[in-house]
Amino acid sequence: MYKFRCYFTYHDNVQRLNRALESVIDQIGEFSSEEKPIVILNNQAQDIAHLLTIPLDKVEIIDSPIPILLPEALNWIFKLAYQNKEPWAMWLHTDAILKPGAMRDLINKYEYVKQNNLQWGLIYECNQAFAIFNSDAIHDEQLFYDAWLFPMYYMDNHFHRILAIRGYPEYLTDTPNLVIHEVSHRLKEDGGLNRRNSLAFGLHGQLYCAIHGGMPGRETVTDRTLGGLYPFDPTKVGV
């Protein structure tokens, strides 16, 4: 058993949230020693407890005092996991469903990385909808999702890239297709968000290029500060 929780960030569509929760509840009971192994960061100004279809005694709901962006919610998750001394911060998209064996596959990969003394930043399945993050490394390096630069798209690329530059690469799980993921459902359902994305997507791509010297997969910049964006003190991280 491991001392960890699975975190969710909820914005809308409680039916999708419940499907994701139901797919997790049996599997997490096999691995987590926590009394309440599921945490939901509720980004809506309304109570959702009465809408959930899993046992409430297994869930902690944390209401955000104001609406926050996804990268800010994830940074909050990293802080919660670190403070709770969890070996990782586990996150599942609310538009994803775990198939049987998905959590075991993810944890098995963590054990492989740990047993081989490999540095790591995050481990995820092929759809990137189910992942664990190295919250210790994130805390030690003081590297978080940068909501100021990338509030939505390119946020993952940017965050993963800077972790890799600092020596914390990402790893894929070994078994594909254990997670069902509906892509970009919020863009399809939220006209205002869709409009914002259509205005900003290309500009964020240009910004990513300016910072990293190329688009995702073609980056050339290896400066650990990314041109002074993030301070780096090797004495604090043992490099």
Side-chain angles (χ1 to χ4, degrees), residues 53-73:
T53 56
I54 65 170
L56 292 181
D57 62 349
K58 298 296 183 182
V59 183
E60 179 181 3
I61 300 173
I62 303 176
D63 296 320
S64 176
I66 58 172
I68 59 176
L69 297 167
L70 176 58
E72 296 171 320

Side-chain angles (χ1 to χ4, degrees), residues 109-119:
K109 191 66 173 189
Y110 164 79
E111 286 296 340
Y112 169 83
V113 169
K114 180 181 177 182
Q115 290 167 11
N116 287 276
N117 296 314
L118 301 175
Q119 294 275 41

Side-chain angles (χ1 to χ4, degrees), residues 95-208:
D95 58 359
I97 302 172
L98 299 188
K99 292 183 179 180
M103 189 170 293
R104 177 179 296 278
D105 190 48
L106 188 64
I107 292 175
N108 283 348
K109 191 66 173 189
Y110 164 79
E111 286 296 340
Y112 169 83
V113 169
K114 180 181 177 182
Q115 290 167 11
N116 287 276
N117 296 314
L118 301 175
Q119 294 275 41
W120 66 285
L122 66 154
I123 303 170
Y124 57 85
E125 53 76 40
C126 62
N127 291 311
Q128 299 192 31
F130 183 43
I132 55 175
F133 297 82
N134 188 339
S135 50
D136 285 344
I138 292 166
H139 175 271
D140 293 346
E141 293 277 355
Q142 285 297 290
L143 290 174
F144 299 91
Y145 278 104
D146 196 326
W148 202 96
L149 291 173
F150 300 103
M152 191 171 174
Y153 282 101
Y154 295 97
M155 58 173 273
D156 290 332
N157 306 99
H158 179 71
F159 182 58
H160 299 183
R161 176 66 180 171
I162 183 59
L163 280 176
I165 290 172
R166 295 286 179 95
Y168 301 98
E170 60 191 57
Y171 293 90
L172 276 172
T173 55
D174 295 322
T175 308
N177 303 319
L178 289 179
V179 178
I180 301 171
H181 185 215
E182 299 176 358
V183 180
S184 299
H185 74 86
R186 281 196 63 203
L187 286 182
K188 298 173 183 176
E189 298 173 357
D190 188 329
L193 184 62
N194 196 316
R195 174 61 174 155
R196 286 176 172 83
N197 180 63
S198 68
L199 291 169
F201 185 80
L203 298 173
H204 284 138
Q206 294 176 36
L207 179 58
Y208 188 90

